Amino acid sequence: MRADAARNLETVLITGARMLAADPGASIASIAAEAGVDRRTVYRRFASREDLLAAIYEARLTAIEKAVEDARLREAPVAVALHRYVENIIAVNRAWPVDLARMLADESVHARRDAAVREVDAFLERATDEGLLRPGLPEGWASALLPDLMHLVSRQRPELTPGQAADIVVDTLLHGLGAS
């Protein structure tokens, strides 16, 4: 794929993710116009909105996999890996704001997503074993809480950089909201 075609595709996908998150009824023509490309360009690549959504999901999954890999969850010091992972995922959430319930309803998404979840779960177990997270929490609690915190800060605090937002998430995860 030519460099300009690759840039146009990425622009269409990012614009589509943003617009469809805000308005699930957004048309391909409106997405093309917002992305600054001719709608025929989009229709040549995607025969339907479902095809466009599938490509958006694929791009988000690829970004998540890269975020997990870049965090070096298996080998980096636990605190460093946690912050790096959270910062990376916040950036993914902001770049690819999709309806997660709809995305997860797509069967083709499950195997790849489940692999990323297993990697993070293993990391959170390592974080507990190494004393960063306290033992004795209900099973799966950190695994359930962390994505919700990342999603919340991604949407509610857009003025923060991903690093600043990660500081809040990591501090909340490790210290809670209590004064002591």
Side-chain angles (χ1 to χ4, degrees):
M1 184 179 298
R2 294 184 339 257
D4 61 331
R7 275 192 307 276
N8 284 347
L9 175 60
E10 183 175 5
T11 300
V12 167
L13 292 175
I14 289 172
T15 302
R18 182 178 44 77
M19 289 181 70
L20 289 167
D23 175 13
S27 69
I28 288 182
S30 65
I31 292 167
E34 182 71 19
V37 300
D38 188 85
R39 68 181 178 163
R40 291 173 297 195
T41 301
V42 179
Y43 280 115
R44 271 194 303 274
R45 182 87 172 143
F46 307 106
S48 67
R49 278 179 24 144
E50 288 70 32
D51 290 346
L52 176 59
L53 275 170
I56 290 168
Y57 298 160
E58 169 74 23
R60 180 180 166 90
L61 281 169
T62 299
I64 289 169
E65 290 165 346
K66 183 173 177 359
V68 169
E69 182 181 320
D70 288 350
R72 301 180 51 234
L73 298 178
R74 294 180 189 200
E75 60 274 349
V78 177
V80 171
L82 176 61
H83 194 279
R84 190 179 295 145
Y85 167 73
V86 171
E87 185 174 350
N88 292 348
I89 294 297
I90 289 168
V92 170
N93 286 345
R94 288 179 175 169
W96 302 102
V98 302
D99 178 348
L100 293 178
R102 187 169 178 188
M103 179 178 157
L104 296 176
D106 185 332
E107 288 299 320
S108 66
V109 167
H110 283 284
R112 288 178 64 195
R113 181 183 180 274
D114 290 350
V117 167
R118 282 191 302 276
E119 184 80 16
V120 173
D121 286 349
F123 167 74
L124 292 172
E125 187 175 312
R126 176 179 161 225
T128 302
D129 292 345
E130 293 187 19
L132 188 68
L133 299 176
R134 77 171 186 258
L137 293 172
E139 186 173 336
W141 185 245
S143 296
L145 183 60
L146 184 56
D148 285 347
L149 289 172
M150 293 185 296
H151 180 76
L152 183 64
V153 78
S154 295
R155 303 294 185 262
Q156 298 297 319
R157 301 299 306 267
E159 75 281 4
L160 298 177
T161 67
Q164 292 168 326
D167 290 345
I168 292 172
V169 169
V170 171
D171 185 62
T172 303
L173 182 70
L174 298 179
H175 304 109
L177 299 175
S180 55

